[in-house]
Amino acid sequence: MRSAAFAFALALLAAPALAADGAEPAAEPAAPDRPAVADFSLETLAGERVSLKDYAGKVVLVSFWATWCKPCKQELPFLDDFAEKYGDQGFAVLAINTDGPRTMAEVRRFVKRKRLKMPQLLDKDGSLLQKLNPRGVMPFTLYLDRSHRIAETADSFSAGDEVKIEAAIQRLLAEK
């Protein structure tokens, strides 16, 4: 979410001031283009293959998580609720687990215990995490617009952040 605030602040700083002769300012420059996320394909816990392109035209929240990450495990039920609440409006969540093969049973238990319905993709070797989040912080969330360009990112979760997450989802859904 920091990137959106930074872009907004940058736009305010770059906005031209009124000319000394009272003329109207020139139109504000367009916001910088959002970077696109290249298509990726991962296997789910159920053994199916899922690609980002499967969600063409949808707002997608991509959340990287791990079983050792307590904030990740706190965030996921909220994300699952939002996926259900906004799914019919063109919104989806892709939860991408970064645990290795040795802790896969723990991943399955957690998903079952929390009754998570959103797709649980597996980045077992961490290659997608490395591409999209080279710092490796957890949780790490990408908010993708309908063209799958990065509108915002977040690299933490605390109690109360679900309000900010929902607001970001609503903003992206409103963009059409």
Side-chain angles (χ1 to χ4, degrees):
M1 297 202 195
R2 290 185 196 121
S3 60
F6 177 75
F8 179 72
L10 186 62
L12 287 177
L13 291 173
L18 283 173
D21 63 2
E24 291 294 318
E28 287 187 35
D33 286 348
R34 295 172 175 168
V37 173
D39 186 40
F40 58 83
S41 178
L42 294 170
E43 189 174 305
T44 68
L45 269 177
E48 301 167 350
R49 202 96 191 135
V50 172
S51 297
L52 180 60
K53 69 181 177 184
D54 297 338
Y55 297 88
K58 292 187 177 200
V59 170
V60 179
L61 187 150
V62 177
S63 180
F64 288 92
W65 72 282
T67 55
W68 53 262
C69 172
K70 188 174 181 176
C72 299
K73 291 163 58 171
Q74 293 170 335
E75 178 184 48
L76 286 170
F78 291 110
L79 300 183
D80 197 58
D81 289 345
F82 295 144
E84 188 171 332
K85 182 176 181 178
Y86 296 105
D88 63 347
Q89 297 176 42
F91 174 71
V93 175
L94 297 178
I96 301 177
N97 180 271
T98 60
D99 283 65
R102 291 190 296 184
T103 54
M104 209 46 51
E106 188 177 341
V107 173
R108 290 181 192 285
R109 279 192 302 274
F110 174 78
V111 170
K112 184 176 181 179
R113 187 173 62 247
K114 293 295 182 177
R115 296 184 175 131
L116 301 176
K117 295 175 233 62
M118 63 190 164
Q120 299 293 322
L121 284 63
L122 307 174
D123 186 21
K124 294 177 188 176
D125 65 359
S127 59
L128 186 61
L129 176 68
Q130 185 61 35
K131 284 181 193 173
L132 298 177
N133 176 20
R135 291 184 14 226
V137 296
M138 294 281 186
F140 181 70
T141 306
L142 296 167
Y143 296 82
L144 307 181
D145 64 19
R146 293 179 190 276
S147 298
H148 297 162
R149 296 171 300 169
I150 301 171
E152 298 183 35
T153 63
D155 59 10
S156 64
F157 180 82
S158 301
D161 283 353
E162 64 274 10
V163 175
K164 296 175 192 172
I165 293 168
E166 187 168 22
I169 293 165
Q170 291 171 342
R171 277 193 306 276
L172 288 171
L173 287 171
E175 286 184 0
K176 301 291 178 195

